[in-house]
């Protein structure tokens, strides 16, 4: 090193990570906003598929709204997506078991594609009865977890999310907010928990990837991505 040069303080950032934002609170808010808009976008697309297949029915005046979706559905899904996406890495950290299985954006995008495919199957594929459809979607949802997650915390949170989301949906249908055609499981469709389970796993994977990207390189390796002197 030349005598006139001084080593720059701190570790050099590596890659376009959210870690460029030093405040932990702001970092958390950015991830939450990203997850919110991802949830809103998926809600608009997936709910449109359900309405086109007449799986869900809204009042006539609501159908005329944006993208044939009730105005409150995308914000609610976006909020839930933000909570789920922030909760998954938080649980991993508290359990002391950082999730490292298939941690790259290409895997996350494939997970999103499979989730959309499962929703498409629930709306487009015709089965002889709802039991066959429910069992098929259950197998696909568990397969999604096994392919892209494989963590006990992810499976447990997915089950909890499926239970709570199905309960909330049943309450909404019971109060006449909207309805399902041919309900076969307490006002809703029996395959609905499978969709919520797969959705929880998908948003959890996105949240984990954002959390990993927000930290950049591992903190324990202080010399990683440093410039040669």
């Amino acid at each position: 090193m030349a005598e006139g040069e001084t080593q720059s303080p701190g570790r050099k950032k590596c890659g376009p990570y959210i870690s460029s934002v030093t405040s932990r609170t702001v970092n958390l808010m950015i991830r939450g906003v990203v997850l919110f808009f991802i949830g809103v976008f998926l809600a608009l697309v997936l709910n449109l598929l359900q309405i086109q297949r007449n799986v869900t029915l809204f009042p006539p005046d609501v159908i005329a709204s944006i993208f044939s979706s009730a105005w409150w559905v995308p914000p609610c899904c976006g909020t839930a997506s933000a909570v789920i996406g922030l909760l998954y890495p938080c649980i991993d950290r508290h359990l002391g078991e950082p999730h490292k299985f298939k941690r790259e954006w290409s895997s996350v995008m494939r997970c999103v594609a499979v989730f959309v495919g499962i929703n498409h199957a629930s709306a487009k594929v015709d089965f002889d009865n709802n039991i066959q459809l429910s069992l098929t979607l259950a197998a696909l949802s568990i397969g999604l977890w096994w392919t892209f997650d494989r963590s006990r915390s992810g499976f447990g949170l997915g089950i909890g999310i499926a239970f709570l989301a199905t309960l909330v949906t049943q309450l909404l249908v019971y109060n006449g907010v909207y309805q399902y055609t041919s309900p076969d499981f307490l006002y809703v469709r029996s395959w609905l928990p499978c969709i919520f389970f797969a959705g929880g796993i998908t948003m959890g994977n996105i949240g984990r990837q954002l959390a990993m990207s927000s930290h950049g390189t591992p903190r324990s390796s202080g010399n990683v991505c440093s410039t040669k002197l």
Side-chain angles (χ1 to χ4, degrees):
M1 179 189 298
E3 293 181 0
E5 296 179 356
T6 58
Q7 185 176 0
S8 59
R11 180 169 56 89
K12 184 180 179 180
K13 298 290 189 301
C14 179
Y17 297 111
I18 308 176
S19 58
S20 58
V21 181
T22 56
S23 173
R24 183 177 180 180
T25 302
V26 176
N27 186 293
L28 193 68
M29 291 178 61
I30 292 176
R31 285 191 283 139
V33 170
V34 172
L35 289 164
F36 175 83
F37 281 107
I38 291 175
V40 168
F41 174 76
L42 289 176
L44 289 172
V45 174
L46 299 178
N47 196 46
L48 182 60
L49 288 175
Q50 299 288 341
I51 292 177
Q52 287 180 341
R53 188 65 172 177
N54 290 327
V55 176
T56 56
L57 297 177
F58 291 95
D61 56 335
V62 177
I63 295 297
S65 63
I66 182 171
F67 293 109
S68 299
S69 174
W71 67 268
W72 49 268
V73 173
C76 289
C77 292
T79 302
S81 299
V83 172
I84 293 170
L86 295 175
L87 183 61
Y88 265 72
C90 180
I91 295 297
D92 291 339
R93 185 169 58 253
H94 281 286
L95 292 178
E97 299 177 355
H99 189 259
K100 298 180 180 179
F101 181 70
K102 292 190 177 181
R103 292 294 86 210
E104 63 273 346
W105 278 111
S106 59
S107 176
V108 173
M109 296 307 296
R110 287 195 296 269
C111 181
V112 174
V114 173
F115 172 59
V116 173
I118 292 175
N119 277 268
H120 186 74
S122 68
K124 296 293 184 180
V125 179
D126 293 322
F127 286 81
D128 294 335
N129 53 64
N130 286 325
I131 295 179
Q132 291 183 359
L133 176 60
S134 300
L135 292 176
T136 301
L137 294 182
L140 291 174
S141 300
I142 295 176
L144 182 142
W145 166 79
W146 179 257
T147 304
F148 300 103
D149 192 316
R150 296 192 187 182
S151 65
R152 290 175 296 178
S153 60
F155 187 83
L157 283 173
I159 294 294
I161 291 167
F163 174 79
L164 291 176
T166 303
L167 179 62
V168 171
T169 304
Q170 288 175 340
L171 292 175
L172 292 175
V173 174
Y174 179 77
N175 287 280
V177 178
Y178 68 102
Q179 63 180 353
Y180 281 87
T181 57
S182 305
D184 61 318
F185 179 66
L186 298 177
Y187 309 108
V188 298
R189 304 296 291 269
S190 57
W191 44 259
L192 194 61
C194 304
I195 301 297
F196 288 138
F197 176 84
I201 298 298
T202 301
M203 295 310 304
N205 274 341
I206 297 175
R208 282 166 166 165
Q209 188 65 29
L210 286 174
M212 189 183 73
S213 298
S214 69
H215 288 89
T217 53
R219 297 185 182 274
S220 58
S221 55
N223 59 344
V224 177
C225 296
S226 60
T227 56
K228 293 183 179 180
L229 300 178

